[in-house]
Amino acid sequence: QQPVQSPQAVILREGEDAVINCSSSKALYSVHWYRQKHGEAPVFLMILLKGGEQKGHEKISASFNEKKQQSSLYLTASQLSYSGTYFCGTGGDFGNEKLTFGTGTRLTIIP
Amino acid sequence: SAVISQKPSRDICQRGTSLTIQCQVDSQVTMMFWYRQQPGQSLTLIATANQGSEATYESGFVIDKFPISRPNLTFSTLTVSNMSPEDSSIYLCSVPLGDFSYNEQFFGPGTRLTVL
């Protein structure tokens, strides 16, 4: 089952904060976050692993609630360059790199 | 990181024909993934391609429609066979890098396919 993201779309002014949520119906071992700009390939932002490990972007943070099978991506003091569609990808256990991507959240930052 | 190229970048094809998409990586990788992204939609995994073994297809995708080759650790092809307008999509390959705990994926630029 595809993870569900919320909101589907959001428009913010530069400098405002955003939270994007990803909810899965299956147990999560890892959650990945990617950003895709129009006409481009998705770009890796962050990965969160069961047990608390994180790796990713300096100015972007995320949380991973294993019990609730949810993850949230936090974009603070958003910049124009943050515009794009954000996808979470839920992964299997260690060694299983196959990802199931979420429904996506379109973020538009305006001056 | 990895540098991934895909050919062609875009194509317009006639119904009933086939198109082979190439994916080239600048380093050796064990695993490659092929995704389809329909306009305005998320990414859907088509198959996993490991060198030296047959590709593993996801539910809803079959080898006869999407044959995959993986002749070495830096290259793979995906063929979209007997195309119909419903196959119009962006097709992307990706590779996971790093050890198994930090398996971020790097994506190729994609192949935009339009079927008339």
Side-chain angles (χ1 to χ4, degrees):
Chain A
Q1 289 84 346
Q2 183 178 37
V4 177
Q5 291 181 229
S6 62
Q8 287 186 315
V10 59
I11 300 174
L12 296 175
R13 292 200 176 276
E14 203 172 2
E16 292 182 333
D17 300 339
V19 180
I20 299 173
N21 302 300
C22 173
S23 181
S24 173
S25 60
K26 299 168 65 174
L28 297 180
Y29 296 95
S30 67
V31 179
H32 303 225
W33 286 95
Y34 292 81
R35 177 171 61 214
Q36 185 178 34
K37 293 184 179 289
H38 183 69
E40 299 180 8
V43 174
F44 169 78
L45 294 176
M46 174 161 291
I47 180 172
L48 304 100
L49 300 175
K50 183 178 180 180
E53 279 187 272
Q54 292 189 22
K55 179 185 179 185
H57 203 284
E58 289 181 357
K59 296 183 179 180
I60 295 173
S61 62
S63 64
F64 181 13
N65 188 321
E66 297 170 27
K67 281 188 176 179
K68 293 186 176 181
Q69 297 170 182
Q70 293 176 344
S71 177
S72 295
L73 185 72
Y74 304 98
L75 305 169
T76 57
S78 55
Q79 306 170 17
L80 293 175
S81 62
Y82 287 6
S83 292
T85 301
Y86 289 76
F87 293 101
C88 64
T90 55
D93 206 344
F94 291 147
N96 180 1
E97 284 86 355
K98 185 172 72 170
L99 296 178
T100 302
F101 281 90
T103 50
T105 296
R106 178 175 290 183
L107 175 64
T108 303
I109 309 296
I110 58 176
Chain B
S1 63
V3 177
I4 305 171
S5 60
Q6 286 186 233
K7 289 180 181 179
S9 58
R10 59 176 63 224
D11 207 342
I12 301 173
C13 301
Q14 296 296 319
R15 180 196 300 260
T17 62
S18 297
L19 177 71
T20 295
I21 301 167
Q22 299 178 7
C23 178
Q24 179 76 52
V25 187
D26 69 340
S27 57
Q28 295 185 337
V29 293
T30 305
M31 207 174 280
M32 272 190 182
F33 299 107
W34 285 99
Y35 289 90
R36 181 175 72 183
Q37 187 174 28
Q38 295 177 309
Q41 302 297 312
S42 182
L43 295 92
T44 302
L45 182 63
I46 298 172
T48 303
N50 290 332
Q51 196 270 337
S53 63
E54 287 199 7
T56 304
Y57 289 84
E58 297 301 306
S59 175
F61 297 96
V62 295
I63 188 171
D64 290 346
K65 176 67 176 177
F66 298 101
I68 288 172
S69 78
R70 184 78 202 275
N72 57 54
L73 292 174
T74 63
F75 186 78
S76 178
T77 67
L78 169 76
T79 299
V80 186
S81 303
N82 188 24
M83 289 184 285
S84 67
E86 291 72 33
D87 294 319
S88 297
S89 284
I90 299 172
Y91 292 85
L92 302 109
C93 62
S94 77
V95 299
L97 289 185
D99 63 35
F100 68 89
S101 295
Y102 293 94
N103 51 351
E104 63 263 39
Q105 291 192 17
F106 292 90
F107 285 84
T111 296
R112 184 180 294 268
L113 171 62
T114 302
V115 183
L116 303 178

